[in-house]
Amino acid sequence: IKTADINPVIKANLDGKTFTAGDKSITLSNIVTNCDYEFLRVVTDIAGTVNGTLIIKGKPKYDANENSFYMENIDIQLKTKNVAHKAAAWIAEVKIRNELEKMLKFSIKDNLAEAQKNIDNQLKDLNAKYDLEMKIGIGSADVESFELKPGQIEAMVKAKFYLELRIKNFRSFKKK
């Protein structure tokens, strides 16, 4: 899963969102998601009580029930005027941290839907060539393990498929 594919989901969840604690607030914009071998990072510009860049990082986990990745126990850093420091206590307070963690989720369902489209496209040619009616569907899928790499999450996905096949004419297999 490329971070370029994750970014639109995270951006939709966070871009333009305002977080408030007491009389202080920040609004997020220009969301960029990236990762290295250890952390997934979301970098966003912030405007409001404080202006600068917010860096949210954490180690993603996988929720098999939701078929989605999420982050908890995130680390929040604020960068202003080229100085990085721990975010102000009010940004990192539990309420805002919990809201951010809820929004830092992304599902693999879209990736599975794209894989199904690719399977369907390949079957069209095969069905036409051999006069078949074959359908292959992705049933349940689960991420058995995953590893962060620069710019992507490599996941080992275990999936169950179903196959439906109707052969109209066995002679069609003699075609080359």
Side-chain angles (χ1 to χ4, degrees), residues 29-42:
S29 63
N30 299 321
I31 313 294
V32 176
T33 307
N34 62 49
C35 66
D36 58 21
Y37 290 102
E38 191 173 2
F39 295 105
L40 182 67
R41 287 179 184 77
V42 177

Side-chain angles (χ1 to χ4, degrees), residues 54-124:
L54 198 63
I55 303 163
I56 306 161
K57 75 176 185 178
K59 294 185 178 188
K61 296 183 178 183
Y62 181 74
D63 180 345
N65 293 328
E66 297 289 325
N67 268 5
S68 64
F69 286 93
Y70 66 97
M71 289 196 308
E72 62 183 15
N73 300 319
I74 57 175
D75 183 50
I76 301 172
Q77 290 185 335
L78 176 64
K79 186 176 181 180
T80 58
K81 297 185 182 179
N82 297 324
V83 176
H85 51 84
K86 285 287 184 187
W90 64 272
I91 294 176
E93 81 173 31
V94 174
K95 178 185 172 213
I96 292 175
R97 178 182 300 278
N98 288 343
E99 285 180 48
L100 281 168
E101 286 178 355
K102 286 178 188 174
M103 295 177 176
L104 292 171
K105 293 183 178 183
F106 54 94
S107 175
I108 65 166
K109 291 176 185 173
D110 289 340
N111 300 84
L112 295 174
E114 186 66 29
Q116 183 66 58
K117 266 195 244 180
N118 290 336
I119 290 168
D120 293 344
N121 286 336
Q122 290 178 18
L123 285 178
K124 283 179 190 175

Side-chain angles (χ1 to χ4, degrees), residues 1-3 9 32 47 55 85 88 96 102 117 162-163 166:
I1 305 168
K2 304 268 188 219
T3 53
V9 176
V32 176
I55 303 163
H85 51 84
I96 292 175
K102 286 178 188 174
K117 266 195 244 180
Y162 67 86
L163 171 67
R166 180 173 170 230

